Amino acid sequence: MSTPARRADAVRNRDLALDAAMALLAEPGASLTVGAIAERAGLGAGTVVRAFGGKDALLDAAVARLLEPVVQRARDLIADTTPYQALRTFLRELIAFQAAHHAINDQLTGLDLPLTTALRADLVGAVEEMIEGARHNGQIRTDLDLPATTTLINATAMAVARADPDLTDAYLTVFMDGLSTPNNSTS
């Protein structure tokens, strides 16, 4: 038995709610209530709840939609360049993404977000693959364990994004020099 096709208006309402949630996620300090999302979408709160089942599912879908291209970009860099260059390029792009969306983390604390959690795990896995590949190639030091290295990357990239994204080049130079083996050029 097949499931009935979703009504066109239900699909439209879902898309409107997702777009509204994504727009609000990009606004620091914006209220992420169902009411605020519904108002931005031009829908009733009940319509938004029906489309997603609740605020957590809606925000999870919106954040997942934002993260999917970031994860794909990490995978593309792994496939298209050296692990070291992939890491350096990805960190620059990650800082830009975090600068544009850093308020998201503050809004998501305590919510049930299985799609977002899975994508974050994929993102960490991609970064770990870059690190391990660069280690294997002798470009990144091996005296820092993988969890410590990924934690340093996450924390410092987020700090730069929140403080001043104009520091990205300086951050990348200092950070990559610190990760690099003595015989590796960071250019």
Side-chain angles (χ1 to χ4, degrees):
M1 182 173 179
S2 65
T3 58
R6 295 182 76 187
R7 291 184 2 215
D9 63 331
V11 171
R12 181 187 59 82
N13 290 343
R14 183 177 171 83
D15 288 342
L16 287 170
L18 262 178
D19 291 344
M22 289 173 64
L24 288 170
L25 283 167
E27 295 177 12
S31 175
L32 289 175
T33 64
V34 170
I37 294 166
E39 182 178 332
R40 173 68 65 99
L43 301 170
T47 300
V48 172
V49 170
R50 268 191 311 281
F52 290 93
K55 176 182 163 183
D56 288 11
L58 169 57
L59 292 178
D60 193 23
V63 174
R65 189 180 275 184
L66 289 170
L67 283 178
E68 285 168 348
V70 175
V71 173
Q72 185 58 52
R73 175 64 174 152
R75 293 287 171 210
D76 291 346
L77 285 168
I78 290 168
D80 295 340
T81 189
T82 67
Y84 184 87
Q85 191 57 47
L87 181 62
R88 186 178 184 88
T89 301
F90 185 70
L91 288 179
R92 177 183 312 289
E93 293 173 11
L94 182 63
I95 290 168
F97 176 82
Q98 289 174 332
H101 299 95
H102 70 78
I104 291 173
N105 284 334
D106 300 336
Q107 301 281 346
L108 303 181
T109 304
L111 301 180
D112 180 28
L113 307 169
L115 296 172
T116 300
T117 300
L119 283 166
R120 283 181 173 167
D122 288 348
L123 195 56
V124 168
V127 170
E128 287 176 346
E129 187 175 337
M130 293 173 193
I131 294 166
E132 288 294 346
R135 282 181 171 180
H136 178 76
N137 293 342
Q139 295 173 300
I140 290 184
R141 57 196 295 167
T142 59
D143 60 326
L144 295 172
D145 68 15
L146 190 58
T149 305
T150 55
T151 298
L152 283 169
I153 287 171
N154 183 45
T156 56
M158 181 61 80
V160 170
R162 284 179 181 252
D164 186 355
D166 291 336
L167 295 175
T168 300
D169 288 331
Y171 159 74
L172 285 172
T173 298
V174 171
F175 191 76
M176 296 305 286
D177 281 353
L179 281 181
S180 295
T181 55
N183 60 349
N184 185 38
S185 169
T186 59
S187 54

